[in-house]
């Protein structure tokens, strides 16, 4: 759009020219027409001086800098009156920005503030942490399902949140934000290390893509963090009648993947928590339905020793026995198991 002063000047020029032409045709005193035209030109010039130029795109300041730049010299894109996130404003997948963590809402969600004052909440890309209320255990393959699994995940969800909140006030590098249907995600670094990877390494979350698959595998193998929820441990002290000290110390009912393909990873741990060696020749493992699963056949268990009974097939070795079952035995969410001494009919129970 032309500036108002330019329009006024053009109109004055046209009127002056027209007046001169009319004077020539109608034999009007040419000097009067010329005087009138000069007067109109003067008016147009005065308007050009009085009316300020309209601001345009890329208008500069007195020192020649871009007027749209902020105090630090960074160009800003405004959205709804606020400075937009420079990561998304650039449109570059390689864009990064330095920001300050101001809050953590969960074990995989952070709110940051950039130098321009822009705030944004993002999820950590490639990461899925349990919530503090306990999530569906089925999302975390290998975790015990049911109420026990949810309780365990809720505990580790709180731990993940506490760990992420230690970053509040810290400076982080934020890689380009990617908008997803469920919300924006980003990769964050602190002191040159990926926060996303650290969360998975510590067992606070599962990996949702291949970037952190190795970190998840390491955490699983060490049963670190939430992956400890795949093993049900017996933390109760021995009861008085259990004179032998034999008990079920732990159960792993839901190995990762299809249970039918991971039978050797499904197991029960039998422990001698007493002070004397126990002859297990006549002992067997059963459930509350009366199904007998395993006979120990001449095994002895020394004080403090543990014996891992694998459901699937394998080669027996020190501390490990296999009962060669062809189908899964243990329920993933609840089960009641019994160790039965065939000589005395003494029964040791454990439920989860």
């Amino acid at each position: 759009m032309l500036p108002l002063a330019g329009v006024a000047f053009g109109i004055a020029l046209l009127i002056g020219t027209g007046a001169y032409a009319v004077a020539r045709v109608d034999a009007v005193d040419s000097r009067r027409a010329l005087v009138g035209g000069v007067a109109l030109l003067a008016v147009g010039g005065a308007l050009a001086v009085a009316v300020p130029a309209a601001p345009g795109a890329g208008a500069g300041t007195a020192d020649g800098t871009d007027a749209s730049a902020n105090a630090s010299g960074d160009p800003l894109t405004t959205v709804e009156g606020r400075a937009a996130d420079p990561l998304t404003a650039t449109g570059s997948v390689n864009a990064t920005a330095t920001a300050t963590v101001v809050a953590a809402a969960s074990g995989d969600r952070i709110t940051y503030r950039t130098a321009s004052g822009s705030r944004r909440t993002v999820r950590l890309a490639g990461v899925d942490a349990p919530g503090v209320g306990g999530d569906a255990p089925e999302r975390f393959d290998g975790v015990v399902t049911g109420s026990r699994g949810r309780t365990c995940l809720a505990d580790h969800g709180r731990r993940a949140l506490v760990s992420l909140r230690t970053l509040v006030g810290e400076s982080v590098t934020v890689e380009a934000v990617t908008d997803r249907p469920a919300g924006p995600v980003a990769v964050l670094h602190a002191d040159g290390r990926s926060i996303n990877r650290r969360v998975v390494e510590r067992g606070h979350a599962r990996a949702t893509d291949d970037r952190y698959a190795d970190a998840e595998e390491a955490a699983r193998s060490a049963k670190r963090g939430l992956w400890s929820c795949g093993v049900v441990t017996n933390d109760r002290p021995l009861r008085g009648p259990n004179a032998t000290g034999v008990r079920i110390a732990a159960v792993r009912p839901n190995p990762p993947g299809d249970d039918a393909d991971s039978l050797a990873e499904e197991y029960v741990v039998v422990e001698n928590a007493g002070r004397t060696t126990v002859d297990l020749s006549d002992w067997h493992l059963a459930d509350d339905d009366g199904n007998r699963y395993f006979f120990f056949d001449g095994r002895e268990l020394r004080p403090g020793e543990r014996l891992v009974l694998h459901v699937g097939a394998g080669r027996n070795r020190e501390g490990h026995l296999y009962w060669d079952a062809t189908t899964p035995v243990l329920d993933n969410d609840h089960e009641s198991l019994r160790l039965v001494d065939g000589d005395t009919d003494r029964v040791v129970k454990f439920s989860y």
Side-chain angles (χ1 to χ4, degrees):
M1 180 179 291
L2 291 175
L4 178 60
V7 174
F9 186 78
I11 293 174
L13 183 59
L14 289 174
I15 294 175
T17 304
Y20 177 75
V22 172
R24 297 287 296 175
V25 174
D26 295 337
V28 178
D29 188 344
S30 60
R31 289 179 296 178
R32 292 182 179 179
L34 182 59
V35 171
V38 171
L40 290 172
L41 288 173
V43 173
L47 289 173
V49 174
V51 178
T61 61
D63 60 0
T65 58
D66 190 343
S68 63
N70 63 2
S72 62
D74 297 329
L76 300 177
T77 301
T78 58
V79 178
E80 296 180 356
R82 295 182 305 159
D85 191 332
L87 296 174
T88 53
T90 61
S92 171
V93 295
N94 296 319
T96 60
T98 300
T100 301
V101 177
V102 296
S106 66
D108 57 9
R109 195 164 70 235
I110 276 180
T111 300
Y112 64 80
R113 182 180 63 248
T114 63
S116 65
S118 173
R119 292 170 61 105
R120 189 159 196 185
T121 299
V122 297
R123 286 190 178 276
L124 300 180
V127 171
D128 179 27
V132 296
D135 291 315
E138 292 79 8
R139 275 175 44 204
F140 301 88
D141 186 29
V143 170
V144 179
T145 60
S147 60
R148 183 182 286 269
R150 287 191 295 272
T151 300
C152 187
L153 285 176
D155 177 51
H156 287 282
R158 288 188 290 270
R159 297 185 186 187
L161 174 58
V162 169
S163 176
L164 211 55
R165 281 181 174 170
T166 61
L167 293 172
V168 172
E170 297 292 326
S171 177
V172 295
T173 301
V174 187
E175 291 188 8
V177 175
T178 303
D179 285 317
R180 299 284 175 84
V185 299
V187 177
L188 278 70
H189 290 82
D191 298 326
R193 288 200 61 202
S194 167
I195 296 173
N196 303 47
R197 172 173 288 276
R198 187 179 71 180
V199 167
V200 178
E201 285 176 341
R202 292 180 175 179
H204 293 321
R206 69 183 181 96
T208 59
D209 58 35
D210 293 338
R211 280 178 292 184
Y212 312 119
D214 59 329
E216 178 183 313
E217 182 59 33
R220 279 182 178 274
S221 298
K223 295 180 178 60
R224 191 180 303 127
L226 69 87
W227 304 117
S228 65
C229 298
V231 178
V232 184
T233 57
N234 187 356
D235 298 324
R236 300 171 183 171
L238 288 174
R239 295 184 178 181
N242 186 12
T244 63
V246 175
R247 67 173 187 169
I248 296 175
V251 178
R252 191 189 194 192
N254 184 26
D258 188 338
D259 288 1
D261 296 330
S262 307
L263 294 178
E265 297 302 316
E266 183 175 311
Y267 57 73
V268 176
V269 180
V270 177
E271 176 187 45
N272 182 357
R275 299 180 178 179
T276 59
T277 298
V278 178
D279 183 359
L280 299 179
S281 296
D282 295 320
W283 288 67
H284 65 269
L285 182 69
D287 63 17
D288 271 354
D289 294 329
N291 299 312
R292 296 184 179 185
Y293 290 133
F294 190 82
F295 290 86
F296 292 86
D297 295 334
R299 300 281 172 177
E300 288 187 344
L301 203 59
R302 297 184 294 273
E305 186 179 10
R306 286 189 169 194
L307 191 59
V308 182
L309 307 179
H310 300 267
V311 170
R315 184 177 180 178
N316 292 343
R317 63 186 191 276
E318 183 69 22
H320 295 266
L321 298 177
Y322 296 81
W323 71 60
D324 298 334
T326 57
T327 59
V329 173
L330 306 174
D331 288 342
N332 291 344
D333 55 354
H334 60 84
E335 185 72 88
S336 292
L337 297 173
R338 298 185 298 158
L339 279 173
V340 181
D341 181 356
D343 286 338
T344 64
D345 291 330
R346 181 183 293 110
V347 176
V348 179
K349 293 184 177 182
F350 179 65
S351 298
Y352 63 89

